[in-house]
Amino acid sequence: MEAGGLPLELWRMILAYLHLPDLGRCSLVCRAWYELILSLDSTRWRQLCLGCTECRHPNWPNQPDVEPESWREAFKQHYLASKTWTKNALDLESSVCFSLFRRRRERRTLSVGPGHEFDSLGSALAMASLYDRIVLFPGVYEEQGEIILKVPVEIIGHGKLGEVALLASIDQHCSTTRLCNLVFMPAWFSPFMFKTTSGHVQFDNCNFENGHIQVHGPGTCQVKFCTFKNTHVFLHNVPLCVLENCEFVGSENNSVTVEGHPSADKNWAYKYLVGLIKSSPSILPTEDSDSLMSLDLESRDQAWSPRTCDIVIEGSQSPTSPASTSPKPGSKAGSQEAEVGSDGERVAQTPDSSDGGLSPSGEDEDEDQLTYRLSYQVQGPRPVLGGSFLGPPLPGASIQLPSCLVLNSLQQELQKDKEAMALASSVQGCLIRKCLFRDGKGGVFVCSYGRAKMEGNVFRNLTYAVRCIHNSKIVMLRNDIHRCRASGIFLRLEGGGLIAGNNIYHNAEAGVDIRKKSNPLILCNQIHHGLRSGIVVLGNGKGIIRNNQIFSNKEAGIYILYHGNPVVSGNHIFKGRAAGIAVNENGKGLITENVIRENQWGGVDIRRGGVPVLRSNLICFGYSDGVVVGDEGKGLIEGNTIYANKGCGVWMMSSSLPHVTSNHVSYNGLYGVAVFSQKDGSGELPGGHGAQENFSEDGDAVLWETELEKDEDPLRRPVTTALVESNSINHNGASGLYVQSSEALHVLTNVIHANGDRGITVAQSSQLTRVANNSISCNRQSGVKVEAQCKVELRGNGIYDNRGHGIITKGDSSVVIENDIIGNRGSGLQLLPRSDTKVIKNRIHSFRAYGIAVRGRAKALVQENIIFQGKTSKTIFQQISNNRECVLQNNKFLVFKKKSDTWRLVNPPARPHLESSLRGPSAAHSGQKGTAMATRITARVEGGYHSNRSVFCTIL
């Protein structure tokens, strides 16, 4: 810029002395001067903004130390807002007939105070004309009667805020008025400091103490840079009111009440307020600005952002995988001697292999013995997480999440959901923006069809932040809600709306409490470090809970009970001190595509009549069990990946009736699926599961049964017997399936592979446990073990390549029918003393031991089986010669004739026949890992997982 040869720095110094009108004129000279005026943002524009007595710091009261992006823009927004009250001046002062001849009247300034023109506000108002300015000089002005504003005026306090105090009750009857730089206190005869029923009122930079402000529709109000100390703002049927940059302190009740549906009758100011809102900077996120709110906490979880795709495993290697271990002192590392374990279970002490115990045939076979080949297939683990396979959890490893499990930004979610975008963009009723609510009872109360929108506010140290009841709707965007003595946000009696992008933490009760048919959309929030649950849905509450981060809460991340029925999808629920999601007391819910990880108790806990649909979730790295189905728990557990939890993958009480189907249960520390009959004290559980839970609104017990809906959910089909079907249960630390139950159980079409103990252990089964069409392979001990006095039916299973026996049974009235029991290290089938078993139409083969071994006085009917010979030194069948209770009928024994013989399983083909049995959402993309086997196996069998209680119950 060339102007008299002066450098730009000197021009900026000169222009910094100009007043606002002069700056405006200079900016009109030319483009170079316009850009020069704009460059004064951090100097002159900042001075003008902070020096204005009608406003405060643009980021007051929440972030007074943070400078705005542009001081000029902030000053411009305030200047435009301060002129809203005069927008109808031309209409009021003009006349249809005489507007061409009427002279424009100049506004007068009336001075009130000692030594000035008027002694009181009332006397000045009596002489005021349209749009006059009344200036109150420092002092205390107490009006003995109600002041009625009949003409539009502007009342301004002179000097600093606090020097002019007005004790009055003002009733506005005119179309508009503005009050600025005043301290309001109630008069002795009325608690109402100001009220209006039809006009527009504007408050700028005022303090209100110990009184009430009331606005009735179609009246409107605009409040900015004001402080409310123990003051209640009551808005009834207002079409639009705007509260910006205000502070509400020490309220004894609600700070702001919005009641009634917005009035259809709108005053003149409505359109100007809408235009002002649209022209101001938006709180809605953009792709560039959408980021997590900072957590003012010692444990920030900084590595966890809404765009991450990895789950990092911290700490030492989990003991869940059957990794090889060093041999004990004194043992031979390469020992291949067969040993007989407890109860006659035959195991082989050989080194592990990384693929679940498969090794080439004949590499350690004795030279003088022959192993004859049998062609068959082993059903291995199915792919998970979009077609990938999960390996053993290792230090520093991560899981690449499929797109359906990655958190989206708020902007992405709003773009996908047009209804949510419409809600976020709507302005109706009351707009509360960038305000601070602190140290009082209540923040905002919306009732009786009221409408309110809250953006960028801070609620702290209140009893509650927001209550929405009686068919009201709220929109909450980017608010910070913490340290409430009850719930942060409370919805009941069909309340609803949008709760998005908020940071909700350190509240004494639930972060969000949804009851009595309320149905909000809860989207992209952070809800964390609560002293109880993150979100509670009860009493027929509904809602859509999507794409939130819910973590580090003391109780369940999401707690559903008393017929609550939300849709919970796409959330990341982690590091909770109790369960990730708990469904109790007849709670329902559709829980889908969530990542539930690193919770202290079960990832999902279902008890006491809970009947959710749990589908396509990733439940991993928990410190207890993946899914717990307690007493009387029900529901559909379908298509989930339950991975690397320190306890069991799925823990079921025998009094529960879940349908567990098409899940991937792998690398869990104990059992893959465990079914137990003994009680575990579920009625006395702390932390979000006990019967002592109190979810009443005011601390008293509430009986919800009178309000419960009786509707049927089409997603839930009735289940009369607990059902475990079409799951992939592999590489768990103990048995793939452990049953100690007094009730019936169906185990159908599962793949149970490479678990650290047996494939299936039935320790107690007083009623029939039906095990049909399962693939049970490569487990570290026997494929199936049935203890005494158990009733089990084994039908149509493929039991392959297990490192112990194929089946061990000493059960009563057990049936083993139409199974393929092939390639196991021990005997194909071992019948222990006092067992009573029917063995019918099976195909049995063992490489090293007997096809069928009968120990002691076992009672058995062995009929129509095909039994293949293994080694030359072993007979096909072994039994005590004087055991007359073992009956053999019509069995076929196949022995070798020449070395080139190869047997194949045909007519029917190798079992199980899973292709026609698979079902559920994961069946369409879940392939079968078919491994052609003509092999021996080498492995060391490890036991020691015989605890009868889950980690979850042991903690209790």
Side-chain angles (χ1 to χ4, degrees):
M1 173 181 174
E2 293 294 334
L6 295 178
L8 290 177
E9 290 77 10
L10 186 56
W11 274 115
R12 293 190 180 101
M13 185 179 298
I14 295 172
L15 295 175
Y17 289 93
L18 298 182
H19 296 288
L20 180 61
D22 297 326
L23 286 174
R25 296 186 186 99
C26 289
S27 66
L28 299 176
V29 172
C30 63
R31 187 173 187 84
W33 278 67
Y34 174 76
E35 294 176 353
L36 180 61
I37 298 300
L38 292 183
S39 69
L40 303 176
D41 189 83
S42 60
T43 54
R44 185 54 180 160
W45 288 112
R46 184 178 185 275
Q47 292 173 359
L48 289 173
C49 191
L50 295 178
C52 179
T53 59
E54 297 182 2
C55 66
R56 307 185 192 185
H57 190 286
N59 289 325
W60 183 88
N62 294 328
Q63 296 176 307
D65 299 328
V66 178
E67 293 196 358
E69 293 183 4
S70 170
W71 287 97
R72 175 183 173 278
E73 185 63 27
F75 187 73
K76 173 185 173 182
Q77 290 296 328
H78 172 72
Y79 180 82
L80 294 176
S82 67
K83 303 302 179 183
T84 303
W85 76 284
T86 63
K87 294 293 184 181
N88 71 331
L90 183 61
D91 297 334
L92 292 175
E93 293 184 355
S94 64
S95 171
V96 174
C97 299
F98 301 104
S99 60
L100 298 177
F101 306 101
R102 180 174 297 176
R103 294 181 59 188
R104 183 180 179 85
R105 188 184 63 84
E106 295 294 330
R107 292 178 59 192
R108 293 186 303 163
T109 298
L110 308 179
S111 300
V112 179
H116 292 274
E117 186 178 359
F118 299 98
D119 293 331
S120 67
L121 175 61
S123 60
L125 287 172
M127 300 300 296
S129 299
L130 296 175
Y131 298 98
D132 283 346
R133 172 178 290 188
I134 299 176
V135 179
L136 301 180
F137 283 82
V140 177
Y141 300 87
E142 183 174 4
E143 300 295 331
Q144 299 301 315
E146 185 177 58
I147 295 177
I148 299 177
L149 298 180
K150 297 181 180 180
V151 294
V153 293
E154 182 180 31
I155 304 174
I156 297 179
H158 186 272
K160 295 181 180 180
L161 178 64
E163 294 180 353
V164 179
L166 179 60
L167 283 72
S169 177
I170 301 175
D171 189 354
Q172 178 185 347
H173 289 184
C174 58
S175 61
T176 182
T177 192
R178 179 173 183 252
L179 301 103
C180 178
N181 207 39
L182 300 168
V183 176
F184 285 87
M185 298 180 185
W188 61 272
F189 54 87
S190 173
F192 287 95
M193 295 179 286
F194 192 95
K195 56 185 177 181
T196 183
T197 56
S198 60
H200 173 73
V201 60
Q202 182 170 336
F203 295 102
D204 289 317
N205 198 35
C206 294
N207 285 357
F208 300 86
E209 298 180 5
N210 303 312
H212 302 287
I213 296 174
Q214 181 174 286
V215 180
H216 278 256
T220 57
C221 70
Q222 181 182 354
V223 185
K224 196 165 186 178
F225 298 118
C226 294
T227 298
F228 298 83
K229 297 180 180 178
N230 192 26
T231 298
H232 181 207
V233 179
F234 183 80
L235 308 174
H236 182 76
N237 293 115
V238 292
L240 185 58
C241 285
V242 181
L243 282 70
E244 271 189 297
N245 296 95
C246 295
E247 182 180 25
F248 296 83
V249 186
S251 63
E252 295 179 354
N253 205 324
N254 313 304
S255 295
V256 179
T257 296
V258 183
E259 182 181 35
H261 194 277
S263 172
D265 184 15
K266 302 176 177 61
N267 67 11
W268 67 269
Y270 177 82
K271 62 180 181 180
Y272 296 105
L273 287 177
V274 171
L276 184 67
I277 292 169
K278 291 181 178 179
S279 65
S280 61
S282 176
I283 298 293
L284 284 177
T286 62
E287 284 296 334
D288 295 332
S289 63
D290 189 33
S291 59
L292 288 177
M293 294 183 178
S294 60
L295 306 181
D296 188 16
L297 305 164
E298 293 182 1
S299 56
R300 296 184 174 218
D301 291 301
Q302 293 178 350
W304 191 258
S305 71
R307 300 180 185 274
T308 186
C309 297
D310 292 339
I311 298 176
V312 178
I313 307 170
E314 301 175 354
S316 61
Q317 180 176 355
S318 171
T320 58
S321 62
S324 59
T325 57
S326 59
K328 295 181 180 180
S331 65
K332 295 182 180 180
S335 175
Q336 301 169 6
E337 297 179 0
E339 297 182 358
V340 179
S342 61
D343 298 328
E345 184 166 2
R346 190 177 185 86
V347 299
Q349 300 295 328
T350 54
D352 288 342
S353 61
S354 60
D355 62 353
L358 305 180
S359 65
S361 174
E363 68 178 7
D364 59 350
E365 190 66 50
D366 294 340
E367 294 296 333
D368 59 345
Q369 294 183 355
L370 296 177
T371 300
Y372 277 76
R373 295 171 179 264
L374 176 61
S375 179
Y376 57 95
Q377 285 192 333
V378 174
Q379 301 287 346
R382 301 168 190 161
V384 297
L385 295 177
S388 63
F389 286 91
L390 287 176
L394 299 173
S398 62
I399 297 177
Q400 191 71 24
L401 297 181
S403 59
C404 64
L405 295 182
V406 177
L407 284 175
N408 293 324
S409 66
L410 177 56
Q411 183 64 23
Q412 290 171 330
E413 284 293 318
L414 293 178
Q415 288 175 349
K416 290 194 306 182
D417 192 334
K418 300 304 180 183
E419 182 180 355
M421 176 63 83
L423 277 173
S425 303
S426 64
V427 178
Q428 194 179 26
C430 178
L431 171 62
I432 303 173
R433 184 157 57 183
K434 295 187 286 188
C435 295
L436 171 63
F437 296 80
R438 64 179 178 90
D439 304 323
K441 180 179 180 180
V444 179
F445 180 45
V446 188
C447 61
S448 302
Y449 296 88
R451 300 291 186 269
K453 182 175 184 178
M454 288 153 271
E455 296 181 348
N457 304 287
V458 174
F459 299 84
R460 71 167 186 256
N461 297 325
L462 304 168
T463 300
Y464 63 86
V466 177
R467 293 178 68 192
C468 176
I469 68 172
H470 290 123
N471 300 95
S472 299
K473 297 291 185 289
I474 58 175
V475 177
M476 299 191 65
L477 300 173
R478 301 286 185 173
N479 300 282
D480 194 281
I481 301 170
H482 63 281
R483 302 190 186 282
C484 294
R485 294 182 289 276
S487 297
I489 303 172
F490 187 79
L491 300 101
R492 66 190 293 251
L493 297 173
E494 300 187 57
L498 172 65
I499 301 170
N502 303 283
N503 192 16
I504 305 171
Y505 59 98
H506 277 305
N507 297 292
E509 298 289 338
V512 181
D513 191 316
I514 305 169
R515 310 186 186 201
K516 293 187 177 181
K517 300 184 181 180
S518 294
N519 190 20
L521 171 57
I522 302 175
L523 188 66
C524 298
N525 302 280
Q526 288 188 90
I527 305 173
H528 57 99
H529 292 91
L531 300 184
R532 294 190 73 179
S533 297
I535 298 176
V536 169
V537 185
L538 68 157
N540 291 314
K542 299 179 182 178
I544 298 174
I545 303 169
R546 189 171 77 229
N547 214 73
N548 301 280
Q549 290 191 84
I550 305 171
F551 60 96
S552 299
N553 295 287
K554 189 173 182 180
E555 296 182 3
I558 298 176
Y559 199 179
I560 305 169
L561 66 165
Y562 296 120
H563 287 232
N565 192 15
V567 177
V568 182
S569 65
N571 303 281
H572 285 205
I573 305 170
F574 57 99
K575 294 187 178 179
R577 293 172 62 184
I581 298 177
V583 187
N584 284 356
E585 306 295 351
N586 301 303
K588 301 179 183 178
L590 174 60
I591 302 168
T592 178
E593 295 183 352
N594 302 280
V595 177
I596 306 170
R597 65 178 178 94
E598 298 175 86
N599 296 287
Q600 293 289 337
W601 289 11
V604 178
D605 191 287
I606 305 168
R607 295 173 186 265
R608 295 193 288 272
V611 56
V613 173
L614 185 66
R615 178 178 291 152
S616 302
N617 302 279
L618 172 59
I619 304 171
C620 59
F621 306 127
Y623 296 100
S624 180
D625 305 312
V627 177
V628 176
V629 187
D631 291 337
E632 300 179 9
K634 302 178 183 178
L636 174 63
I637 303 170
E638 181 179 25
N640 303 281
T641 298
I642 305 171
Y643 173 75
N645 299 283
K646 289 189 175 180
C648 302
V650 180
W651 172 276
M652 299 161 50
M653 297 297 295
S654 62
S655 56
S656 62
L657 292 173
H659 183 184
V660 182
T661 178
S662 304
N663 301 282
H664 305 276
V665 185
S666 61
Y667 292 100
N668 297 286
L670 296 180
Y671 308 108
V673 178
V675 183
F676 280 88
S677 61
Q678 66 264 33
K679 308 302 179 184
D680 57 5
S682 58
E684 301 177 356
L685 300 180
H689 301 283
Q692 79 279 10
E693 288 290 358
N694 184 352
F695 288 98
S696 63
E697 180 178 346
D698 298 312
D700 298 325
V702 176
L703 296 179
W704 299 98
E705 284 75 6
T706 58
E707 306 172 14
L708 300 183
E709 296 177 324
K710 302 298 183 182
D711 57 334
E712 294 295 332
D713 193 331
L715 291 175
R716 301 169 177 85
R717 71 180 191 182
V719 176
T720 57
T721 302
L723 180 60
V724 179
E725 68 167 333
S726 301
N727 302 282
S728 179
I729 305 171
N730 63 87
H731 294 94
N732 298 286
S735 295
L737 172 65
Y738 188 93
V739 180
Q740 183 175 316
S741 172
S742 58
E743 297 181 1
L745 173 68
H746 290 174
V747 182
L748 310 175
T749 65
N750 301 280
V751 174
I752 303 174
H753 177 81
N755 294 286
D757 203 319
R758 306 176 188 92
I760 298 177
T761 300
V762 183
Q764 176 186 330
S765 179
S766 56
Q767 295 192 37
L768 180 64
T769 295
R770 184 168 178 259
V771 181
N773 296 321
N774 301 279
S775 175
I776 305 168
S777 63
C778 302
N779 296 286
R780 187 165 286 178
Q781 291 193 23
S782 299
V784 179
K785 183 173 183 179
V786 181
E787 295 288 356
Q789 299 180 347
C790 293
K791 296 180 181 179
V792 178
E793 177 186 323
L794 295 164
R795 181 187 294 267
N797 303 284
I799 303 172
Y800 303 118
D801 296 323
N802 297 285
R803 300 180 186 178
H805 305 294
I807 298 175
I808 301 177
T809 177
K810 48 183 174 179
D812 296 341
S813 303
S814 295
V815 177
V816 181
I817 183 170
E818 296 180 351
N819 302 280
D820 287 342
I821 309 169
I822 308 295
N824 300 286
R825 300 288 287 181
S827 299
L829 174 62
Q830 187 164 87
L831 308 178
L832 297 181
R834 295 181 297 278
S835 63
D836 184 356
T837 309
K838 293 180 181 179
V839 183
I840 303 171
K841 295 183 179 180
N842 301 280
R843 295 182 292 195
I844 304 172
H845 173 269
S846 173
F847 281 119
R848 289 190 166 189
Y850 304 99
I852 299 177
V854 181
R855 303 290 187 183
R857 294 291 179 179
K859 182 179 180 181
L861 171 61
V862 182
Q863 184 177 15
E864 298 182 20
N865 300 280
I866 300 175
I867 307 174
F868 303 91
Q869 184 180 22
K871 290 185 178 182
T872 58
S873 62
K874 294 291 184 181
T875 59
I876 295 177
F877 186 87
Q878 181 196 44
Q879 74 174 100
I880 298 175
S881 59
N882 60 354
N883 184 2
R884 297 182 180 180
E885 295 183 347
C886 181
V887 179
L888 280 70
Q889 293 180 355
N890 301 325
N891 297 284
K892 185 176 181 180
F893 299 88
L894 298 183
V895 298
F896 66 89
K897 295 181 180 179
K898 53 184 178 179
K899 189 173 181 179
S900 60
D901 284 347
T902 299
W903 292 309
R904 297 182 183 277
L905 300 180
V906 293
N907 296 323
R911 300 181 179 97
H913 304 146
L914 296 179
E915 288 73 11
S916 61
S917 303
L918 290 175
R919 58 183 305 277
S922 58
H925 61 266
S926 294
Q928 300 298 324
K929 182 184 178 183
T931 306
M933 287 292 110
T935 182
R936 314 176 52 240
I937 62 174
T938 58
R940 177 173 60 247
V941 180
E942 293 183 2
Y945 295 98
H946 299 290
S947 172
N948 288 335
R949 302 181 69 81
S950 71
V951 172
F952 171 78
C953 296
T954 303
I955 294 173
L956 300 181

